[in-house]
Amino acid sequence: MPDSKKFFENLSGAGKSIGVLTSGGDAQGMNAAVRAVVRMGIYVGAKVYFIHEGYQGMVDGGDNIKEATWESVSSMLQLGGTVIGSARCKEFRTHDGRLRAALNLVQLGITNLCVIGGDGSLTGANLFREEWSGLLEELVQSGQIDEQAVETHSVLHIVGMVGSIDNDFCGTDMTIGTDSALHRIIEVVDAIMTTAQSQVQTSFVLYLALVSALACGADWVLIPEMPPEDGWEEQMCQKLSESRLRGSRLNIIIVAEGAIDQHGKPISSEAVKDLVVRCLGFDTRVTILGHVQRGGTPSAFDRILASRMGVEAVLALLEASPDTPACVVSLRGNQAIRLPLMECVQMTQEVQKAMDEKNFEEAVKLRGRSFENNLNTYKLLSYRKPDSEVPKSPYNVAVLNVGAPAAGMNAAVRSAVRVGITEGHTMFAVHDGFEGFSKGQITEIKWGDVGGWTGQGGSLLGTKRTLPAKHLNKIAEQIRIHNIGALLVIGGFEAYLGLLELLAARSKHPELCVPMVMVPSTVSNNIPGSDLSIGADTALNAITNTCDRIKQSASGTKRRVFIIETMGGYCGYLATVGALAAGADAAYIYEEPFSIRDLQTNVEHLTEKMKTSIQRGLVLRNENSNENFTTDFIYQLYTEEGKGVFDCRKNVLGHMQQGGAPSPFDRNFGTKIAAKAMQWISKKLKEFYIEGRVFANTEDSACLLGMRRRALVFQPVTQLKEETDFEHRIPKEQWWLKLRPLMKILAKYKTSYDVSDSGQPCCH
């Protein structure tokens, strides 16, 4: 590939027209995608048109197709639904309807379409593209266009983005709207769990399924891809009864829309309720969320996902040749990629075919690795086997939290404890990190002890930043006393440093020669070896929600700029990605040095924007971005330079970024990564069990489990030292820095967008 920045600069949209539409059911985040398409399109010199009311607007034409401006997509990020409208259109399914749509597009010179919708909408778009030349010929024959128009508009390019809360499209890990829908579901579940603390036992049933079951620790889930075996009714009631006997005041059963049994018979929420009442006599409530799942403001994840997809869609259209097939922009790990649209549609249809044929194992595989992993993790955690069925291992495993608290830590501990017990280990909880370890604050922790932990914020085990170096003798003694054969450390940069210190002390303390694994959990997202840390998504949502409220507080006032300080130490992840999610005008971080001239340029840029259109500006600053250009300094500079045009306010978000209930993403990420860590521990314990004891003294017996692109990877911590800036407590290379040009483009700055790691075609 040519030099990426030059390559991008050579992609000119001059003379091109792009139409953007949302079709089918609405989904939170669609507006962020529309905004990104409009601004990226205008940025590269193309004309961009709103096509209102989906395909219906394309067929009807007239005022339904209007040219978009930069300002027309301001203040859209935080809105749910789709402001350009979405409608089902029977006429577009007919040849005459598509003929009218083609005429309307040709008259405006639109030969590039961004379609945001589900598989039906994208299939319709591909059919439209395939028929395009024939439709133009018909329009020539009827005298509605001339031969010159056919020559000029001979090819229709299509790029799809999947907007659907169901996340049922093959080829992408997440569809636009799924994360926000999960937020709505989890908010309701959390609220009901709160009432259960003071009321009589209640069973609870709702719609939308597997990931929410993981996120809330549901007792039972019924999904169409995994019909329960015959006799499931008795098994479910027995499990609920056992849960009550262990002291649980609440049971959660999740029923997916379309749930069936092995014989294809539908399972409804009402039927499940009647079963529980009849067999157990439990006070039972049914909550059907319905369109609540589509409502509300989009999550930070959906805003970022949609923004990246929108920019990628425009790049795909600019690069398209007459032979380029229609593609869909997808997410794989943290990468935006392009896949052939119809291959994904066909695979999605294959899932339904497999289910119709009752080949459920095949359906699960076709749904993709992410779905399969979620299903396997849920199975692992949801049902406790009788003690007689669990082979008892001779190993004791300790789990502890180290560093600052982060939302999702408790979900990770719950997962580790239950997987460990399932593997036959005796699990020990270490309270208050390495300091508590040295003091012997160690207790056995059982299956029921971690019930309800998934949705709890902070660290229920207690966590401290204390490093182990000063307490090595006592920690070694406690490992000996409790016969601990392996350690799972869940935490931030101190956890990473602590593991390195324990590893270095093995020669003096043979008790430390046990398998050790770290799971990254910190809002700062500054751990080498992992693209993401547990807690960072919750912090991003806290920042985004606060920025929304702050901007809303200025509605109806004169022009105003807000200066917001975020956490993160020297890591600018929260400031950068928070700025992208909140639609900020600038984000100051340590990793991208800035001078007084840069600050002046930003002020002048914002001043010009304020004079012409926008009423509110937003600037984020990472807490350690510059020791001299403090938040107060930047606030005073903007205040002085903005006199007569705008006034300023500042806000330091502080520890609110660490608080609150964990987001669905952090609950699921914590659950899955901790389960994988425990399975690694089980494998290593067997590997290093020699002559009646565990002795692990190899480099690969002390690892960090991190997310690298799409895969969870175990990496020896000693090998990560080369990747670490220890002075500033950050990795030397950070993937999210590639998002900064995107943030600047959407804020109307002229910059180069590096496409070297963007949108590369990916094989299935």
Side-chain angles (χ1 to χ4, degrees):
M1 188 171 186
D3 177 80
S4 57
K5 293 189 177 180
K6 289 180 182 176
F7 176 67
F8 173 70
E9 288 162 359
N10 291 335
L11 289 177
S12 172
K16 294 191 177 184
S17 294
I18 300 171
V20 57
L21 68 147
T22 52
S23 177
D26 64 317
Q28 307 98 316
M30 280 184 164
N31 288 324
V34 171
R35 171 181 177 267
V37 169
V38 169
R39 292 197 166 176
M40 190 63 177
I42 293 172
Y43 182 85
V44 296
K47 283 187 176 182
V48 186
Y49 290 85
F50 291 137
I51 301 176
H52 293 273
E53 310 307 330
Y55 288 118
Q56 189 66 56
M58 196 188 298
V59 171
D60 294 341
D63 288 342
N64 289 298
I65 307 177
K66 290 182 178 178
E67 187 173 353
T69 65
W70 191 278
E71 290 73 26
S72 63
V73 292
S74 294
S75 303
M76 279 176 62
L77 267 175
Q78 70 271 25
L79 300 177
T82 165
V83 299
I84 62 174
S86 181
R88 313 276 180 188
C89 180
K90 290 182 179 179
E91 290 173 272
F92 190 75
R93 295 177 185 173
T94 68
H95 184 79
D96 287 346
R98 293 192 291 277
L99 191 65
R100 286 165 57 194
L103 176 61
N104 290 328
L105 294 186
V106 169
Q107 287 174 338
L108 292 169
I110 299 172
T111 55
N112 299 278
L113 284 181
C114 283
V115 181
I116 309 164
D119 60 336
S121 301
L122 300 181
T123 303
N126 192 64
L127 175 63
F128 190 41
R129 172 185 169 276
E130 290 174 346
E131 292 182 346
W132 183 255
S133 58
L135 294 171
L136 296 195
E137 286 300 326
E138 286 186 53
L139 292 172
V140 169
Q141 291 169 13
S142 63
Q144 295 180 78
I145 63 173
D146 57 25
E147 290 288 351
Q148 179 62 43
V150 175
E151 188 176 332
T152 307
H153 307 104
S154 60
V155 181
L156 178 67
H157 297 295
I158 300 284
V159 174
M161 288 175 270
V162 189
S164 167
I165 67 170
D166 298 325
N167 203 36
D168 58 355
F169 190 83
C170 293
T172 186
D173 290 346
M174 289 282 271
T175 58
I176 297 169
T178 300
D179 189 69
S180 300
L182 286 169
H183 273 260
R184 301 295 90 79
I185 293 168
I186 296 307
E187 285 164 8
V188 172
V189 175
D190 283 352
I192 288 174
M193 290 181 85
T194 303
T195 68
Q197 301 305 315
S198 55
Q199 293 185 4
V200 191
Q201 300 105 316
T202 306
S203 283
F204 167 65
V205 187
L206 77 162
Y207 281 107
L208 211 138
L210 181 59
V211 183
S212 53
L214 263 178
C216 67
D219 296 275
W220 202 270
V221 64
L222 295 157
I223 59 174
E225 295 89 346
M226 187 185 68
E229 297 176 358
D230 290 344
W232 66 270
E233 297 92 341
E234 292 80 7
Q235 291 176 22
M236 184 186 76
C237 289
Q238 182 181 352
K239 182 181 178 185
L240 299 183
S241 181
E242 290 171 355
S243 173
R244 292 297 170 87
L245 289 173
R246 290 196 298 269
S248 173
R249 297 176 65 86
L250 174 71
N251 297 120
I252 300 173
I253 306 165
I254 293 186
V255 184
E257 194 171 16
I260 54 174
D261 65 17
Q262 289 281 343
H263 309 288
K265 181 184 175 183
I267 301 174
S268 70
S269 55
E270 283 297 332
V272 175
K273 174 191 172 181
D274 292 343
L275 171 68
V276 173
V277 171
R278 184 175 68 253
C279 295
L280 299 174
F282 291 172
D283 181 18
T284 306
R285 299 286 184 271
V286 176
T287 300
I288 299 175
L289 296 185
H291 282 76
V292 168
Q293 297 160 78
R294 297 188 187 277
T297 187
S299 67
F301 184 98
D302 272 330
R303 299 184 199 196
I304 296 157
L305 172 65
S307 296
R308 294 181 69 187
M309 283 186 171
V311 168
E312 191 61 46
V314 173
L315 290 175
L317 289 172
L318 294 181
E319 293 174 44
S321 68
D323 301 323
T324 305
C327 75
V328 61
V329 179
S330 299
L331 178 76
R332 288 281 177 88
N334 60 25
Q335 285 183 292
I337 62 166
R338 302 173 201 166
L339 298 171
L341 189 152
M342 289 315 296
E343 281 188 25
C344 295
V345 168
Q346 286 161 9
M347 189 172 288
T348 303
Q349 293 169 347
E350 285 292 321
V351 174
Q352 188 57 52
K353 181 183 175 185
M355 290 180 59
D356 291 341
E357 295 172 353
K358 295 186 171 57
N359 189 350
F360 300 112
E361 285 187 16
E362 181 66 17
V364 168
K365 287 180 182 176
L366 288 169
R367 282 293 304 268
R369 191 166 65 178
S370 181
F371 183 88
E372 196 171 5
N373 287 343
N374 284 336
L375 185 56
N376 290 336
T377 305
Y378 178 77
K379 286 178 180 177
L380 198 61
L381 295 170
S382 62
Y383 183 63
R384 182 183 180 184
K385 294 178 182 178
D387 290 342
S388 58
E389 293 182 20
V390 178
K392 189 67 178 172
S393 84
Y395 313 118
N396 296 341
V397 179
V399 57
L400 64 157
N401 295 156
V402 176
M409 274 183 165
N410 296 319
V413 172
R414 168 188 175 270
S415 176
V417 168
R418 291 196 168 178
V419 173
I421 291 170
T422 300
E423 302 263 312
H425 310 316
T426 302
M427 298 299 297
F428 283 89
V430 179
H431 302 272
D432 295 336
F434 288 120
E435 186 175 320
F437 208 153
S438 69
K439 294 176 180 177
Q441 295 172 208
I442 304 168
T443 56
E444 185 178 348
I445 187 165
K446 299 186 177 180
W447 185 281
D449 296 335
V450 292
W453 279 34
T454 310
Q456 297 288 317
S459 167
L460 293 173
L461 288 185
T463 182
K464 290 192 175 182
R465 296 176 182 270
T466 310
L467 293 173
K470 295 179 181 178
H471 307 283
L472 289 170
N473 289 333
K474 292 182 178 179
I475 289 173
E477 183 184 358
Q478 291 299 326
I479 289 175
R480 186 171 61 254
I481 290 170
H482 292 90
N483 192 29
I484 290 169
L487 289 180
L488 171 58
V489 185
I490 302 166
F493 206 85
E494 289 86 0
Y496 169 58
L497 294 176
L499 221 60
L500 286 171
E501 290 183 359
L502 293 178
L503 189 62
R506 277 178 168 176
S507 58
K508 291 183 179 179
H509 301 280
E511 295 88 349
L512 300 176
C513 294
V514 296
M516 306 175 190
V517 63
M518 175 194 162
V519 168
S521 181
T522 166
V523 301
S524 301
N525 198 36
N526 63 334
I527 308 300
S530 190
D531 294 341
L532 293 170
S533 296
I534 302 166
D537 183 73
T538 304
L540 274 178
N541 279 289
I543 292 167
T544 305
N545 293 338
T546 304
C547 288
D548 285 351
R549 292 178 184 178
I550 287 171
K551 287 161 73 176
Q552 189 179 42
S553 73
S555 62
T557 66
K558 62 181 181 176
R559 293 178 175 89
R560 181 165 290 169
V561 174
F562 295 94
I563 315 295
I564 311 293
E565 183 183 297
T566 66
M567 294 177 77
Y570 285 94
C571 180
Y573 175 81
L574 291 180
T576 295
V577 185
L580 183 58
D585 297 280
Y588 300 116
I589 64 170
Y590 165 78
E591 293 93 340
E592 191 174 284
F594 56 97
S595 66
I596 191 68
R597 282 181 287 279
D598 296 315
L599 291 170
Q600 186 64 32
T601 299
N602 294 152
V603 173
E604 291 169 358
H605 179 82
L606 199 48
T607 301
E608 286 303 308
K609 286 173 70 176
M610 285 283 187
K611 285 177 180 176
T612 56
S613 59
I614 64 169
Q615 299 293 316
R616 287 156 290 175
L618 188 64
V619 175
L620 270 62
R621 177 190 175 274
N622 166 247
E623 59 185 351
N624 288 346
S625 56
N626 188 293
E627 63 180 342
N628 294 313
F629 301 139
T630 62
T631 301
D632 282 336
F633 178 91
I634 292 173
Y635 163 70
Q636 289 165 3
L637 176 69
Y638 273 74
T639 300
E640 180 63 29
E641 295 297 317
K643 278 183 179 176
V645 180
F646 59 80
D647 66 0
C648 274
R649 297 288 186 275
K650 67 174 177 178
N651 195 306
V652 178
L653 299 186
H655 284 76
M656 66 169 291
Q657 295 157 86
Q658 288 181 322
S663 68
F665 182 94
D666 278 330
R667 298 181 195 203
N668 289 330
F669 184 44
T671 297
K672 285 190 284 189
I673 196 170
K676 193 171 182 71
M678 278 306 305
Q679 289 172 322
W680 177 90
I681 280 176
S682 294
K683 179 184 172 187
K684 291 296 179 184
L685 282 169
K686 291 173 185 174
E687 186 180 321
F688 292 112
Y689 191 70
I690 304 165
E691 296 179 358
R693 59 165 293 196
V694 175
F695 187 82
N697 199 20
T698 59
E699 199 176 67
D700 67 350
S701 65
C703 285
L704 180 142
L705 175 55
M707 173 68 79
R708 284 282 176 107
R709 298 206 171 185
R710 201 184 180 206
L712 287 171
V713 183
F714 290 95
Q715 303 142 98
V717 287
T718 53
Q719 293 179 13
L720 294 174
K721 289 162 76 173
E722 292 299 315
E723 301 178 25
T724 309
D725 175 351
F726 285 98
E727 181 184 353
H728 299 102
R729 298 160 60 94
I730 55 175
K732 291 179 180 177
E733 292 187 12
Q734 302 184 88
W735 69 271
W736 52 264
L737 286 169
K738 292 188 177 183
L739 299 180
R740 286 189 62 80
L742 186 153
M743 178 202 78
K744 292 175 183 177
I745 286 169
L746 297 180
K748 215 173 184 178
Y749 285 90
K750 288 294 178 186
T751 186
S752 294
Y753 181 48
D754 186 345
V755 297
S756 60
D757 195 32
S758 171
Q760 298 310 300
C762 180
C763 299
H764 288 298

